[in-house]
């Protein structure tokens, strides 16, 4: 396996991915970010160019999108697809302290951060963020480009769509489904299916917009 890694995006989420990637034994070649940030460093990893350089690294490194997402996943999707279109490969980064069952499936480009638990028969799509201390229970299915935030609890057999944001310390009761492009605010308790995209919060959960 190629352990050379190029990071795409130099924001706050990049720092968490750097730490996880180093713990997993990757060698980070550098970060591609906006032109004005070239030459700067994040956690001693240098920003070596912008996304126009993706083509130059497709033979020597794998890629991971390190742009976070809450309201929109457009930029994550764009960068992911730029790598694919250039013939590059997306890495899967699993922090050394995370537990991922051998019976789970993790899509290309996804990041599993520190002290998470991904249990048996879980299916996680491509370019997802499973953040620190999240718990993903048995038979959960998570779509592409979805972000499960810190300390979220996803109980068994839940089905989460594409480009969903699950806020910190939210709890999904067993077997609930969440529609694509939904935003779940921090601390929300979801005990029934969300069939229509929107912003949901509270206990009991209700739709805000």
């Amino acid at each position: 396996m190629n352990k050379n890694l190029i990071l795409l995006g130099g924001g706050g989420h990049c720092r968490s991915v750097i730490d996880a990637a180093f713990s997993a034994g990757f060698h980070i070649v550098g970060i591609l970010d906006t032109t004005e940030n070239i030459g700067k460093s994040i956690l001693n990893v240098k920003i070596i160019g912008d996304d126009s350089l993706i083509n130059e690294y497709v033979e020597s490194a794998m890629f991971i999108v390190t742009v976070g997402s809450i309201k929109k996943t457009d930029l994550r999707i764009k960068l992911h697809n730029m790598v694919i279109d250039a013939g590059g490969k997306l890495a899967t980064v699993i922090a050394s302290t995370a537990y991922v069952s051998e019976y789970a499936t993790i899509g290309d480009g996804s990041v599993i951060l520190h002290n998470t638990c991904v249990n048996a028969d879980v299916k996680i799509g491509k370019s997802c963020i499973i953040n620190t201390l999240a718990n993903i229970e048995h038979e959960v299915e998570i779509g592409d480009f979805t972000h499960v935030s810190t300390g979220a609890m996803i109980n068994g057999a839940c089905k989460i769509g594409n480009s969903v944001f699950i806020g910190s310390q939210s709890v999904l009761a067993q077997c609930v489904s969440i529609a694509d492009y939904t935003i779940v605010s921090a601390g929300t308790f979801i005990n029934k299916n969300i069939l229509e995209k929107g912003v949901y919060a509270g206990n009991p959960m209700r739709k805000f917009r």
Side-chain angles (χ1 to χ4, degrees), residues 8-202:
L8 302 177
H13 178 57
C14 180
R15 289 161 169 80
S16 295
V17 177
I18 288 171
D19 187 68
F22 279 145
S23 79
F26 283 93
H27 167 67
I28 302 177
V29 177
I31 302 165
L32 302 184
D33 195 49
T34 55
T35 304
E36 60 268 24
N37 288 326
I38 294 172
K40 297 178 182 178
S41 293
I42 299 173
L43 302 183
N44 297 317
V45 179
K46 193 170 183 179
I47 297 172
I48 56 176
D50 60 23
D51 56 31
S52 66
L53 296 183
I54 287 174
N55 285 305
E56 294 191 17
Y57 292 97
V58 295
E59 298 296 330
S60 60
M62 300 183 76
F63 297 82
I64 197 84
V65 178
T66 49
V67 174
S69 61
I70 297 178
K71 294 181 179 179
K72 292 184 177 181
T73 56
D74 296 6
L75 183 54
R76 286 184 59 79
I77 294 170
K78 176 185 174 182
L79 292 170
H80 181 102
N81 288 338
M82 285 177 70
V83 173
I84 299 301
D85 292 345
K89 294 182 179 179
L90 279 297
T92 299
V93 174
I94 300 173
S96 60
T97 60
Y99 172 76
V100 176
S101 168
E102 63 178 304
Y103 304 104
T105 302
I106 313 294
D108 291 343
S110 288
V111 177
I112 314 296
L113 291 176
H114 283 293
N115 296 305
T116 58
C117 178
V118 178
N119 231 316
D121 208 17
V122 167
K123 295 177 177 63
I124 294 174
K126 63 187 179 186
S127 234
C128 291
I129 301 168
I130 309 299
N131 221 321
T132 308
L133 288 170
N135 186 70
I136 315 296
E137 267 302 331
H138 59 88
E139 302 167 274
V140 168
E141 296 181 13
I142 297 175
D144 300 334
F145 305 105
T146 284
H147 183 168
V148 178
S149 285
T150 52
M153 181 74 69
I154 314 297
N155 281 297
C158 289
K159 289 180 170 44
I160 301 172
N162 301 312
S163 296
V164 172
F165 178 81
I166 306 293
S168 296
Q169 295 190 326
S170 294
V171 176
L172 275 65
Q174 191 160 334
C175 299
V176 299
S177 297
I178 297 181
D180 296 347
Y181 306 109
T182 295
I183 297 173
V184 175
S185 296
T188 302
F189 176 51
I190 301 169
N191 62 350
K192 59 184 178 181
N193 294 340
I194 294 177
L195 302 177
E196 181 182 9
K197 71 178 182 179
V199 178
Y200 294 80

